[in-house]
Amino acid sequence: MARLNAAFRCINECGEHYALDDVIYTCPQCGGLLEVWHDLDALQQKSGAEWRTCFDQRVRMRAQPTWGLSGIWSKREWVLPEVNDENIVSLAEGFAPLLPAGQLGATFQLDNLWLKLCGTSHSGSFKDLGMTVLVSQVKQMIADGKNIRAIACASTGDTSAALAAYCAAAGIPAVVLLPENKISTAQLIQPIAHGALTLALQTDFDGCMRLVQELTKRPEIYLANSMNSLRIEGQKTIAVELCQQFEWQVPDWVVIPGGNLGNISAIGKGFEMAHQLGLISRTPRLVCAQAEHANPLYLSYQNGFRLFEAQQAKPTLASAIRIGNPVSVHKAIRALRQFDGIVEQASEVELVEAASQADRAGFFCCPQTAVALAATHKLAARGTIQKHERVVVISTAHGLKFTDFKQAYHENHLSGIQSQQANPPLSLPARIEDVLAAIDKHAESR
Ligand SMILES: *Cc1c(COP(=O)(O)O)cnc(C)c1O
Ligand SMILES: [Zn+2]
């Protein structure tokens, strides 16, 4: 195969190309966002069928080298073709389970609902998928003699957890900027445990984002937020992988919770590439689901994307998508236009009940995934998504990172919300009669 290569390319008219080891995050010519461009002519030397076989043969192929266990690096020619084996920093990310959700689907009047559990991952969220790519590229750049002292990010919790883990594994210092008191305990403890410099700032996420952009104007501090398009390259494999899990069948709908809007852009890009290279013969429709309290894209969708206005996001239980000024909005709108997309929103009440319904069906659902489930339910009720259609909801984090809101729900302590399925623990004397009576009462109430 001819030498594969990739480069940064400006997404605006100017379309300028830059080397992947340039320390830039936007186009130096016009200020536009960058994306990673791949040489499709070189990739097309393999047919779609040959790529499918190649990827299928690499499913969890071997433990050495460690990238053999990675869903991302099993597709490395499409992701980052020029990184050397020894610089790949992998924690066996990807190959996330794709589970049928029959019982939950029945609740939503959907016959063919699936959950892709991207939170079943090393640090507990899909952020691992992009971070392995970004940290590997930095490791390669350091090996090539670039002066990079640290990698930094602003985060609503999951980006910093992933960055801290991959940096610890790579031996590269990490700096994380978090909005003080606005992330869960589990998310805060991850960067602390991994030895990252953890800064709790008295602002919101958008404030942290502004500051980290200022900070990373210094070339020796590398930016790890998703405006760095290297992250998108890893995350786009979600789309390819889920087709692979359906034996290269394509679902009708893919529903994704959106905050900074990198992931919806990434998944769009994954489907686009799989389609262009002939692995799949059609593409799904995309739904971006936003919390009503942080819904700038939803509002823009209401006016046909003619206007986009950043907002001050209000508090939401879906704290990882509490973002009012999403960095990747233009890429997201492009993907939604390309894939006949929809933007739907979910209120706080809708999201907690969707989480509870999912938990009752055996999932353990984070509040962001709950926003996507609530949006799916609304679109099904409205007839936009039809009963027989195959729907995949992207579950973005592990529920264990968000136990605070579940605890409050089951104690009926969520302000302004009456919990419909609260199931608090019963405190009882340690006597068999009391236990038996409780079992009988519980059986009656079901
Ligand atoms: C980051 C994150 C999102 C949103 O992804 P974006 O790329 O910012 O739109 C959704 N859910 C969880 C759990 C996240 O950590
Ligand atoms: Zn440009």
Side-chain angles (χ1 to χ4, degrees), residues 125-127 158 257-263 320-321 323 366 368 396-397:
S125 87
F126 79 85
K127 298 295 199 293
D158 290 329
N260 225 357
L261 305 178
N263 209 27
I321 51 175
I323 295 176
C366 84
Q368 295 70 226
T396 46

Side-chain angles (χ1 to χ4, degrees), residues 109-111 253 379-380 383-391:
Q109 306 282 317
L110 288 172
D111 292 339
W253 295 89
L379 291 169
T384 309
I385 299 182
Q386 291 175 24
K387 197 168 190 296
H388 67 275
E389 290 184 302
R390 185 187 279 181
V391 184

Side-chain angles (χ1 to χ4, degrees), residues 78 236-237 239-240 265-275 280:
W78 290 32
K236 82 183 177 195
T237 62
V240 188
S265 314
I267 288 172
K269 190 171 183 200
F271 283 118
E272 180 184 44
M273 241 175 125
H275 193 230
I280 54 175

